[in-house]
Amino acid sequence: FLDSVDNPLDRIAVATFNTNYTLLTDPTNSLRTIDALLEEIEQPQPDGAYTELFRGVIAATEDLSEAKGRRVLIVLSDGEDYPFARHAGRPHPTFGSVYASRDDAIAGIRMHGIGVFGIDFTGSGDPGLADIARDGGGTVYLARSESALETVYRDIRSLILDEYRLRYRASILPTEFRRVRVSPATGPEPQAVRRYFAGTIFGEPRDDFGIAFAIPFFAAIAGALLLG
């Protein structure tokens, strides 16, 4: 996968997750650094070997939330969500008895607009990961060998490079959920459906929010206070 990343503008972050989530490096274009970090990953002790799958997705989503451009999370897992607090018989050393759910993970990727691909390395993967990946416009692959992993990573890379970026201007009308269908005039139909959260102010994307919008907004608040 690293060998296929030939664009100097691309950045890759690496994290491990088990009982705890550990960010090994922020997004970087130093493939040598990433390769060295991968070599240093060690098998955890029994108390550190629980699979906090959903919490790992949530933590990785938060770490990617400040990155610019298209952001994609690739989750390689060998099993199902297996929380420490539920199965060890005592609270998690950091999170106590609070569990992270599939819905929590989905809410995070929608909020931050992050795509998700999953890789099930054993065939006993968590169906919740498939739901998360589907909601993030991706899918879950099954891989049981090194050669299969190579094929999967290359396919993910190819799918990301073939994506289109679309900009949609929402209306000012309030809504809990809106379905928008986009179809290409030519070529094949899209292979994935993606859900996302789009925060708007006066119907404009938050990225475009500037002082020109702030003036009438705060003026309206001041007027309301005076009338009150």
Side-chain angles (χ1 to χ4, degrees):
F1 180 71
L2 295 178
D3 290 341
S4 71
V5 179
D6 52 9
N7 187 333
L9 296 179
D10 285 343
R11 301 288 187 272
I12 299 176
V14 178
T16 60
F17 69 96
N18 34 63
T19 300
N20 300 292
Y21 170 88
T22 304
L23 179 66
L24 302 181
T25 177
D26 289 316
T28 177
N29 61 359
S30 174
L31 303 185
R32 181 177 299 178
T33 297
I34 296 172
D35 196 46
L37 289 171
L38 292 176
E39 292 294 332
E40 294 176 1
I41 296 175
E42 297 181 350
Q43 183 175 347
Q45 297 299 314
D47 268 3
Y50 289 78
T51 307
E52 296 275 357
L53 177 60
F54 299 148
R55 193 175 298 283
V57 171
I58 293 169
T61 298
E62 293 174 350
D63 283 335
L64 287 175
S65 64
E66 299 300 323
K68 302 297 183 182
R70 176 69 169 114
R71 297 158 301 177
V72 176
L73 176 63
I74 302 175
V75 184
L76 172 63
S77 178
D78 64 351
E80 61 183 349
D81 185 60
Y82 200 79
F84 181 93
R86 183 174 296 161
H87 299 283
R90 58 187 187 278
H92 189 282
T94 302
F95 302 103
S97 298
V98 178
Y99 301 123
S101 71
R102 179 208 66 166
D103 291 343
D104 294 332
I106 289 176
I109 64 171
R110 285 185 184 179
M111 176 66 71
H112 298 295
I114 294 174
V116 180
F117 290 90
I119 304 175
D120 174 4
F121 198 58
T122 62
S124 60
D126 197 303
L129 179 58
D131 295 335
I132 295 168
R134 189 180 308 111
D135 204 276
T139 187
V140 173
Y141 294 83
L142 176 63
R144 294 181 176 175
S145 66
E146 183 176 348
S147 61
L149 274 178
E150 289 182 11
T151 300
V152 166
Y153 274 111
R154 292 185 185 278
D155 191 60
I156 292 174
R157 172 73 173 163
S158 176
L159 288 175
I160 295 171
L161 292 177
D162 287 342
E163 288 181 341
Y164 289 92
R165 182 176 182 179
L166 304 176
R167 188 175 181 88
Y168 167 68
R169 187 177 296 276
S171 73
I172 198 171
L173 298 176
T175 180
E176 292 295 325
F177 180 82
R178 177 163 298 173
R179 187 182 300 276
V180 178
R181 179 176 177 79
V182 178
S183 298
T186 60
E189 285 290 316
Q191 299 181 18
V193 177
R194 177 147 174 226
R195 296 173 175 83
Y196 66 96
F197 175 84
T200 62
I201 301 175
F202 302 128
E204 297 292 329
R206 290 183 300 175
D207 291 344
D208 295 339
F209 183 72
I211 190 63
F213 290 99
I215 292 173
F217 178 71
F218 290 113
I221 293 178
L225 292 175
L226 289 174
L227 291 174

